[in-house]
Amino acid sequence: MAVTGAHHQVKPWGQNKSGRLGDGTTDYRITPVPGPGVIGVQLVSAGREHSIALLGDNTVRSWDANRSGQLGNVTTTGSSTPVTALTALTGVDEIAAPVGGDFSLAN
């Protein structure tokens, strides 16, 4: 996953099981594709079956399988497109999703 361009857009590639890339599909990608709705990215992190992005307005977007509720949207339903993580989660400066971890962190 990379953040590119003047709009600081997430562009992931690779395996896309469960919508892992956040592009609204489950198609595998061999080249980077734009992640819809994820612009103004300051930080990005990926854990086990989920990715999270911290945007310039200090809000968090997340996407993928969500079996353990790691998307932070009060469900365990996966999403192949970015969702807002906990609308009460504002003013975030840092995020982390440990490799292999079924959880995310925000500070």
Side-chain angles (χ1 to χ4, degrees):
M1 193 172 341
V3 177
T4 64
H7 296 292
H8 297 260
Q9 187 173 23
V10 169
K11 292 193 176 178
W13 64 93
Q15 186 206 57
N16 200 14
K17 181 180 177 182
S18 306
R20 191 158 291 156
L21 303 182
D23 67 347
T25 75
T26 55
D27 299 336
Y28 288 37
R29 306 292 187 170
I30 60 171
T31 58
V33 295
V38 186
I39 59 172
V41 174
Q42 302 302 305
L43 296 170
V44 66
S45 189
R48 183 172 182 246
E49 297 187 335
H50 73 295
S51 297
I52 58 175
L54 174 63
L55 305 186
D57 63 0
N58 296 88
T59 60
V60 177
R61 301 289 186 276
S62 54
W63 59 94
D64 199 357
N66 203 30
R67 287 177 183 84
S68 300
Q70 62 268 48
L71 298 188
N73 64 343
V74 196
T75 74
T76 53
T77 302
S79 181
S80 63
T81 59
V83 298
T84 300
L86 297 176
T87 54
L89 189 63
T90 59
V92 176
D93 295 317
E94 299 173 287
I95 57 170
V99 173
D102 283 341
F103 60 95
S104 300
L105 306 167
N107 179 25

